[in-house]
Amino acid sequence: MTRLSTPDGSVRGCSLETDRTTIERFLGIPYAEPPSGANRFRPPVPVAPWTGVLDCTTPGPAAPQNPEPHAPPGSTPRSWSEEGCLNLNVWTPGTDGPARPVMVWIHGGAYLMGANSDAMYDGARLAAAAGVVLVSVNYRLGALGFLHLADLLGRDYSDSNLALLDQLEALRWVRRNVGAFGGDPHNVTIFGESAGAAAIGTLLGMPSSEGLFRRAIMQSGTAERYRRPEESARITAAFLELCGLDGSSAKELLTLPVERLLQAQAALERRAAQESFAVPLPFQPTVGTPSLPVPPLEAVRNGVNRGVDLLIGTNLNEGSFAVEMRPDSASDPGYPDRAGAVLSGAGVPPEATPGYAEALTRLLGREPAGKELLEAAIADSLYRQPSNRLLAARREAAGGKNFAYLFTWRSPAMGGKLGACHALDIPFVFRHLDAPEAAFLTRAKAPQPLSDAMSRAWAAFAGTGTPGTEHLAWPEYGPQRTTMMLDGESRLEADPRQKVREFFEAVRLQPAS
């Protein structure tokens, strides 16, 4: 057992050996008071210092959530509780020597599911190989993390972005305590995938986040996932109705059993899935609120967090899960129409949508098949082009360094149909290619050298502000749009998928919602 004293109190963890390195692990450390009772739907309250020694040898509970609809067979549902869900895990190679870079992981899951205790996010191997202190955080999800109540419950509930405020509180905990774990509180990198990366894209545009992190890594994320207050109010009205309430009785949300809230949330999730073929997010950040006054991309363009260094990228086939895993994927003849709906939902005017297939044809040198067209439309609309626009906004702000990548290694799963699919990069970064949870996607064929290169690059970026290493030269993203193509044999490419990027830049995008 390992005991450490931190400014917030003493903690007891445990030691483990991984990659011939001893790692000290501390699980389930509270960073805020339980967001239950009087704290439900309110901003997080910093954890009060404790006396005695807190046992941190087992994971804390996840945030309340419904079962994952496409969980792998035989997987165990996450253990959740409204009490104590605002916790974090820490892996450290030790407290001796110079202070180490700190990497803070924000998990994905469509803002609806996920936990820092998920096996694929175990930070021991990455901490050992990279020599970093790794922290992973839980935050409120779904309605508990994003329900817009400002118009119904008054001033104490004026901010809807509780999940993001939780993340900021976790970063304040890191700044206050990570030195006790051997980390450098002035060299913090936040990194995340999918909704975790979207959260980071939003944090980049939040004025209150400035100074809490020095660098950011966004894996398959966007700074453009948000709602206007009137849109969030409509979601709240629908949620209240599903709870058997209305605006006049909204205060009952504060005392309803959390299971009842999750039932209503599940119904709202099903409704959102019927309305969107791509990636439905019924709960999203709300702009025009105290924590997020303007859209994140606008804030970034205006210089918020301009000094932060950014590493950002996507996987080539981000949309393949959405296409291939649907029950009707083999028989649906309406792929072009669905692709048009996805593009239109991302702000491309209907009259311009045929030009997307033309741009893709010029890029590929052939006409894309129906499934290919839809998959690419999802990848471009929700991930790749938003990443390009964030890079452009960052260049306008003229501050920190920017680096870009495109992950192209193809999974052998389902006969190769998934390609370089969404979330495939996670086991490469965390060095878990051999984990049972990765087996479906990697099939024991994933190249270990690519995992070595990615984990080294991520750690090098966290340590120095550049992902370039002695094994992998990686220049900044500049006028040539130089991008690292991550594959079995990685290479640099100037402006990959240029034709599609030019299509999106040429059309007049309608305001995002």
Side-chain angles (χ1 to χ4, degrees), residues 323 326-335 338 371:
V323 175
R326 287 180 67 98
D328 59 358
S329 66
S331 58
D332 188 348
Y335 293 117
R338 289 189 182 276
K371 276 189 180 182

Side-chain angles (χ1 to χ4, degrees), residues 48-97:
W50 58 85
T51 57
V53 181
L54 189 67
D55 181 70
C56 296
T57 57
T58 57
Q65 57 193 274
N66 289 304
E68 191 169 347
H70 301 297
S75 61
T76 302
R78 297 181 185 93
S79 175
W80 58 261
S81 172
E82 197 173 14
E83 288 285 332
C85 67
L86 298 186
N87 63 75
L88 49 80
N89 303 328
V90 181
W91 293 265
T92 177
T95 59
D96 57 321

Side-chain angles (χ1 to χ4, degrees), residues 466-480:
T466 173
T469 67
E470 59 179 324
H471 307 282
L472 189 69
W474 193 329
E476 288 186 52
Y477 182 93
Q480 300 302 314

Side-chain angles (χ1 to χ4, degrees), residues 35 38-45 140 156-157 159 162 165-166:
N39 289 335
R40 180 185 283 180
F41 295 117
R42 288 186 175 183
V45 177
R140 279 174 281 186
D156 289 344
Y157 305 88
D159 208 313
L162 301 177
L165 297 181
D166 291 344

Side-chain angles (χ1 to χ4, degrees), residues 11-143:
V11 293
R12 180 187 298 112
C14 61
S15 301
L16 65 153
E17 294 290 326
T18 182
D19 295 340
R20 298 183 297 278
T21 302
T22 299
I23 294 295
E24 309 295 341
R25 179 180 65 185
F26 303 84
L27 306 177
I29 305 174
Y31 66 84
E33 294 296 309
S36 55
N39 289 335
R40 180 185 283 180
F41 295 117
R42 288 186 175 183
V45 177
V47 66
W50 58 85
T51 57
V53 181
L54 189 67
D55 181 70
C56 296
T57 57
T58 57
Q65 57 193 274
N66 289 304
E68 191 169 347
H70 301 297
S75 61
T76 302
R78 297 181 185 93
S79 175
W80 58 261
S81 172
E82 197 173 14
E83 288 285 332
C85 67
L86 298 186
N87 63 75
L88 49 80
N89 303 328
V90 181
W91 293 265
T92 177
T95 59
D96 57 321
R100 294 170 168 84
V102 180
M103 299 181 69
V104 179
W105 174 254
I106 301 176
H107 71 75
Y111 289 139
L112 296 170
M113 64 196 80
N116 61 3
S117 58
D118 287 1
M120 289 307 297
Y121 308 149
D122 186 291
R125 288 182 175 179
L126 180 55
V132 301
V133 176
L134 200 147
V135 181
S136 62
V137 305
N138 278 343
Y139 54 94
R140 279 174 281 186
L141 301 168

Side-chain angles (χ1 to χ4, degrees), residues 62-303:
Q65 57 193 274
N66 289 304
E68 191 169 347
H70 301 297
S75 61
T76 302
R78 297 181 185 93
S79 175
W80 58 261
S81 172
E82 197 173 14
E83 288 285 332
C85 67
L86 298 186
N87 63 75
L88 49 80
N89 303 328
V90 181
W91 293 265
T92 177
T95 59
D96 57 321
R100 294 170 168 84
V102 180
M103 299 181 69
V104 179
W105 174 254
I106 301 176
H107 71 75
Y111 289 139
L112 296 170
M113 64 196 80
N116 61 3
S117 58
D118 287 1
M120 289 307 297
Y121 308 149
D122 186 291
R125 288 182 175 179
L126 180 55
V132 301
V133 176
L134 200 147
V135 181
S136 62
V137 305
N138 278 343
Y139 54 94
R140 279 174 281 186
L141 301 168
L144 290 167
F146 290 104
L147 197 64
H148 184 64
L149 297 170
D151 302 328
L152 300 173
L153 298 184
R155 183 176 180 179
D156 289 344
Y157 305 88
S158 62
D159 208 313
S160 313
N161 303 317
L162 301 177
L164 301 171
L165 297 181
D166 291 344
Q167 294 162 18
L168 292 179
E169 191 58 46
L171 289 170
R172 294 187 187 98
W173 182 95
V174 167
R175 183 174 58 186
R176 191 169 64 246
N177 291 278
V178 80
F181 298 87
D184 183 351
H186 304 294
N187 190 8
V188 174
T189 297
I190 54 175
F191 71 128
E193 186 270 346
S194 194
I200 291 171
T202 308
L203 292 177
L204 284 170
M206 294 176 67
S208 57
S209 75
E210 291 196 294
L212 290 176
F213 52 92
R214 188 172 180 180
R215 301 183 178 99
I217 303 174
M218 292 173 58
Q219 302 170 216
S220 306
T222 169
E224 300 176 20
R225 279 287 190 173
Y226 62 84
R227 297 187 191 280
R228 302 283 181 180
E230 59 273 17
E231 297 163 335
S232 294
R234 286 196 292 270
I235 295 292
T236 297
F239 184 80
L240 285 170
E241 181 182 359
L242 291 167
C243 288
L245 305 173
D246 58 22
S248 64
S249 56
K251 194 171 184 179
E252 294 184 30
L253 289 173
L254 306 180
T255 55
L256 279 181
V258 69
E259 291 81 4
R260 183 69 189 91
L261 300 180
L262 289 178
Q263 290 174 4
Q265 181 175 303
L268 198 62
E269 291 172 31
R270 290 191 293 269
R271 186 180 300 177
Q274 293 172 353
E275 296 172 353
S276 172
F277 185 88
V279 185
L281 293 180
F283 295 100
Q284 300 179 33
T286 302
V287 299
T289 51
S291 64
L292 194 61
V294 301
L297 199 64
E298 179 182 337
V300 168
R301 191 177 292 115
N302 291 338

